[in-house]
Amino acid sequence: MLGSIPFLQRLPAESFQQITQVSQLQHFEKGEPIVKAGEAGEGLYIIWKGESEVLRILEETKVEQLPPVLRKGDQFGHACLGPRKQLHSHDIVARSEVSCIIIPHCEAQLLSPTSTWRHHPEELTLVECLLQLEFIKDDLFRFNPMAEAPSFWNNMYGGHIVGLALGAACKTVDPALVVHSLHSYFIYSGTPSLPVNYKVERIRNGHTFATRHVQAIQKGKIIFALYASFQRAEKGLEYQYPMPTMPTPNELPTYEDLLGPLCDDKRLSKHNQQASSSSLRMNQTLDLKYHNRRSPLSLEPQEPRQRVWMRTRGKLSDDLALHRCAACYAFDWSFLETALGPHNKLVNKYPIVGLSLDQSVWFHRPFRADEYLLVVMESPRACDGRALCVARVYTENGELVASLAQEGTLRVFVSPEDEKSLVSKL
């Protein structure tokens, strides 16, 4: 029941779990007063069963506007800490037998999260700050611009948009249901300096599955759309592809070691120097360890495959939904780059522009995004200015926890004499 209450869904999972433990169930007979105007009551009341009638008092107040009849899922009253309590503005009487879930005054702190994801006030990591959403009204959230938010060529980073949209969807679902897949489309590039509204549509609310549709809206225009499906945990058949043999993260160079020397390397074009400098900014939020990363200095063709250990920087709070949103933030990074290997000669010589068109993610098992994940990527096909990339994601102990797919545009601005080199054989 509590999992279906919209304002409780928005709370951090930690707060919600504590509320389920401390809430009280109280029963009222038909005609029995539940609360009286001018009294504080016992806390916040949520109707679980039956109907109650709201009796207007002579002196109207704007503190609490209630419909004449309250039914299952409706709430009234306030849980307040300290000696001063907000008083009820109406008499509320049971129209039938009524059962109410009560969150008592002494637990009021659980209803006031200091962030989207965690309740206890403490320093947030940069990734967690970037995934904070302002609540506007039921099913509508906003991300306000942050100077620390990554942007490239004056566009919002695609993984950031996906992570925020999934976060908005998660805040409208029973916390017992966890996202298992998402499918999304990048429609227009987002402007980093403007706020983005995330509008959620509740497509399905079931006991086992729930579906959400999220639109990211900027300047009145839809720039991104996402569908996400949520499932209650259950048992079933199980197997997985094994993880390939890989060096450990500690055996591989840091992202700064790889890109730092390239930012002012005169052998690179100005475009590629700027691309290296721009890419290095992701080092602020992601810890990246590449295995045999494609070199922007090489002219030799390579297979369209790459492997990278990645994790978010700093420890995230324990909310399972947060880790899946943070993973979506990370997974978009370097994905399309997988398709460039067969054309090193061109992409290291000429300017190239790549943009994500769509992305799908399937989550198989729980994981922590602040612990190393191995992303094994490959691109089976590129044609018509687009490339398809797929990936498997493993934990350090070899468990396959997610699968990814993405298609994007890759445009290389070649001279006429090199156009024949756009076709490469593997």
Side-chain angles (χ1 to χ4, degrees), residues 187-374:
I187 302 169
Y188 292 102
S189 298
T191 303
S193 59
L194 297 175
V196 184
N197 288 337
Y198 289 88
K199 181 180 178 182
V200 183
E201 182 181 2
R202 300 175 183 235
I203 303 295
R204 176 186 180 184
N205 283 313
H207 176 75
T208 305
F209 286 93
T211 307
R212 295 293 184 264
H213 175 217
V214 185
Q215 294 178 333
I217 302 170
Q218 197 174 59
K219 295 187 294 185
K221 184 168 62 175
I222 299 171
I223 63 169
F224 174 83
L226 172 144
Y227 276 90
S229 182
F230 297 76
Q231 181 190 19
R232 193 177 300 272
E234 58 182 279
K235 294 182 179 179
L237 302 175
E238 185 171 345
Y239 64 89
Q240 71 159 68
Y241 274 12
M243 183 174 77
T245 302
M246 270 286 294
T248 66
N250 292 335
E251 297 176 291
L252 296 172
T254 67
Y255 200 43
E256 188 172 8
D257 289 338
L258 286 175
L259 289 191
L262 301 176
C263 295
D264 54 4
D265 193 317
K266 303 305 180 185
R267 293 172 294 176
L268 294 176
S269 66
K270 204 68 176 175
H271 177 86
N272 281 339
Q273 289 181 48
Q274 291 174 353
S276 297
S277 298
S278 181
S279 297
L280 197 52
R281 295 178 205 151
M282 291 303 290
N283 204 41
Q284 298 174 5
T285 53
L286 298 179
D287 181 359
L288 301 161
K289 299 291 186 73
Y290 285 83
H291 179 245
N292 295 332
R293 185 176 187 268
R294 187 189 72 84
S295 171
L297 294 169
S298 173
L299 300 181
E300 295 298 317
Q302 297 173 233
E303 288 191 340
R305 293 185 174 89
Q306 64 172 342
R307 298 174 183 178
V308 56
W309 290 103
M310 61 172 61
R311 65 179 177 183
T312 61
R313 291 200 176 274
K315 183 175 176 59
L316 301 175
S317 54
D318 294 333
D319 196 319
L320 178 62
L322 168 63
H323 285 268
R324 299 196 174 192
C325 294
C328 286
Y329 172 92
F331 288 160
D332 190 54
W333 187 246
S334 286
F335 209 177
L336 276 181
E337 188 182 49
T338 310
L340 300 181
H343 294 283
N344 273 339
K345 182 177 180 180
L346 292 183
V347 300
N348 291 343
K349 179 180 178 182
Y350 296 104
I352 181 170
V353 174
L355 292 172
S356 301
L357 293 174
D358 57 49
Q359 187 179 72
S360 295
V361 182
W362 295 267
F363 298 103
H364 311 309
R365 282 296 195 187
F367 59 85
R368 294 192 64 94
D370 55 7
E371 296 177 354
Y372 278 117
L373 298 170
L374 175 64

Side-chain angles (χ1 to χ4, degrees), residues 53-248:
E53 186 174 5
V54 178
L55 303 180
R56 301 295 173 183
I57 59 176
L58 293 177
E59 196 173 316
E60 288 291 339
T61 176
K62 294 183 180 179
V63 174
E64 191 173 24
Q65 297 294 328
L66 297 173
V69 178
L70 299 172
R71 297 180 173 87
K72 181 176 180 178
D74 291 332
Q75 71 262 4
F76 55 91
H78 302 272
C80 305
L81 292 173
R84 299 187 62 180
K85 304 288 193 295
Q86 189 166 323
L87 305 180
H88 288 278
S89 56
H90 306 87
D91 290 333
I92 299 178
V93 178
R95 292 183 70 183
S96 62
E97 289 186 0
V98 172
S99 297
C100 285
I101 297 170
I102 302 174
I103 302 172
H105 290 297
C106 61
E107 305 295 346
Q109 77 282 355
L110 297 177
L111 299 173
S112 303
T114 55
S115 83
T116 306
W117 298 105
R118 84 169 93 207
H119 174 74
H120 296 297
E122 54 187 279
E123 186 176 351
L124 303 179
T125 66
L126 180 53
V127 170
E128 196 160 346
C129 288
L130 290 171
L131 293 173
Q132 297 296 308
L133 287 161
E134 177 190 358
F135 170 71
I136 306 300
K137 61 180 183 179
D138 281 350
D139 302 336
L140 183 63
F141 303 83
R142 177 176 297 154
F143 174 75
N144 294 304
M146 291 179 59
E148 299 87 352
S151 63
F152 302 94
W153 315 112
N154 204 32
N155 295 325
M156 287 184 69
Y157 166 52
H160 191 195
I161 298 175
V162 180
L164 286 166
L166 179 58
C170 290
K171 292 303 176 183
T172 68
V173 174
D174 183 335
L177 276 65
V178 180
V179 63
H180 69 88
S181 70
L182 65 87
H183 307 278
S184 61
Y185 282 93
F186 299 88
I187 302 169
Y188 292 102
S189 298
T191 303
S193 59
L194 297 175
V196 184
N197 288 337
Y198 289 88
K199 181 180 178 182
V200 183
E201 182 181 2
R202 300 175 183 235
I203 303 295
R204 176 186 180 184
N205 283 313
H207 176 75
T208 305
F209 286 93
T211 307
R212 295 293 184 264
H213 175 217
V214 185
Q215 294 178 333
I217 302 170
Q218 197 174 59
K219 295 187 294 185
K221 184 168 62 175
I222 299 171
I223 63 169
F224 174 83
L226 172 144
Y227 276 90
S229 182
F230 297 76
Q231 181 190 19
R232 193 177 300 272
E234 58 182 279
K235 294 182 179 179
L237 302 175
E238 185 171 345
Y239 64 89
Q240 71 159 68
Y241 274 12
M243 183 174 77
T245 302
M246 270 286 294
T248 66

